[in-house]
Amino acid sequence: MSWLVTGGAGYIGAHVVRSLLAAGHDVVVADDLSTGSLLRVPPAAHFVRARITDRWALDAIFAAHRIDGVVHLAGRKSVAESLADPLGYHRVNVTGLAVLLEAMAAAAVTRLVFSSSAAVYGPGSGQPLAESSPLAPASPYGRTKLAGEQLIRDCAAAGSLSWIALRYFNVAGAAEPALGDQGGENLLPRIFRAALTGDPLTVYGDRHPTRDGTAVRDYVHPADIASAHAVAVSAVTRGRRADVYNAGTGTGSSVRELIAMTEAVTGLSVPIRIGAARPADPPHTVADVGLIRARTGWRPRHGLAEQVESAWAATGATPVAPVARLTPVAEFAAL
Ligand SMILES: NC(=O)c1ccc[n+]([C@@H]2O[C@H](COP(=O)([O-])OP(=O)(O)OC[C@H]3O[C@@H](n4cnc5c(N)ncnc54)[C@H](O)[C@@H]3O)[C@@H](O)[C@H]2O)c1
């Protein structure tokens, strides 16, 4: 089958593209390269430079390729940036999705896998976070993801869309050194920067109601996120679906635990300074992954050590300790 992967030149999209190719699908990548890189797109995939808000460009892709379904990852993903530029976030993440859904309807493409986020939950959503937990996004970014889920649900009710939304938790690591997260804003790249430069990492709050006072997150390897997409692509193909699944590990790690793991992996020490807790930051965000496990059999295979080791290998910094247990070919062949 032939899948259009929007945002396929991005960090997670590049992993998803490889998992779909490894499963025998043809892949067309549409990406405006605003944060993505052509270097991440494998030669086996067809690349089109296109904005997700550009209906004409999307129509041209559907006209030129026989597309069986869409994996939609293109979007903006920074909570902090979304607070400063809510309109920009709504334009790309919500209007872009609406334009994509219109183009899909016009081309009679009825299968969709959507990148949602744990940011649709909020500080009051409880723990662990199940798909049925209250939805109360604390940022414009989270609200764009929730609006996206609702838009898809409404379109599916009015038409014949078969869809799955995956709410990713905190994605960390790389299945190949070339596929690392190049956005410097996530916690792990910031920890690496502190280790390499000696400039202290600001830890936002050490009085959270967690086991060591720092914020706890559910870190998940992008190869596991890619395998969740492979499962979702099969499911929306086999029959009509309207499902939302958490994609995490079910295990939380605190900022201090992530720092300790980085120090063990790199042999470097990570200087820190304690800053104020950020209002849009829930203290504890850990997935209940029971639903996706029960319904699809998917389960994550990589733990925190592999995430940190592979992310460190992807920085290209001189390894101080053994790194990268992952072998890329086996990694994708196993999906
Ligand atoms: N990284 C995470 O931990 C995480 C967690 C939850 C959800 N997500 C979601 O997963 C998706 C991918 O995230 P990522 O971490 O790979 O980010 P990324 O920035 O590496 O990838 C996003 C890709 O989308 C492309 N893009 C952005 N705006 C576009 C537009 N207007 N038109 C076409 N292409 C556009 C970028 O060039 C990039 O290649 C996003 O939708 C993000 O919200 C990510």
Side-chain angles (χ1 to χ4, degrees), residues 192 260-268 304-315 317-326:
F192 290 162
M261 181 63 78
T262 302
E263 291 183 333
V265 165
T266 65
L268 300 171
L304 193 68
E306 285 159 298
Q307 293 162 25
V308 175
E309 286 172 0
S310 62
W312 176 247
T315 66
T318 311
V320 178
V323 292
R325 278 184 215 135
L326 302 177

Side-chain angles (χ1 to χ4, degrees), residues 6-14 30-37 40 50-53 72-78 92-93 114-119 141 145 166-172 181-183 186:
T6 72
Y11 165 52
I12 300 172
D31 197 302
D32 71 354
L33 300 180
S34 51
T35 57
S37 165
R40 289 206 188 104
R51 280 214 176 93
I52 200 65
T53 45
H72 179 48
L73 297 110
R76 298 176 68 184
K77 64 166 179 176
S78 159
V92 173
N93 292 3
F114 173 60
S115 291
S116 189
S117 167
Y141 167 67
K145 289 297 179 181
L166 296 172
R167 293 178 180 159
Y168 318 157
F169 281 62
N170 288 62
V171 185
D181 184 3
Q182 290 163 3
N186 284 346

Side-chain angles (χ1 to χ4, degrees), residues 101 105 110 112 148-163 240-243:
L101 287 164
T110 58
L112 177 66
E149 288 185 11
Q150 288 166 338
L151 184 54
I152 293 168
R153 199 180 288 281
D154 286 344
C155 290
S160 50
L161 207 54
S162 175
W163 65 279
R240 190 155 175 201
R241 311 293 326 168
D243 299 330

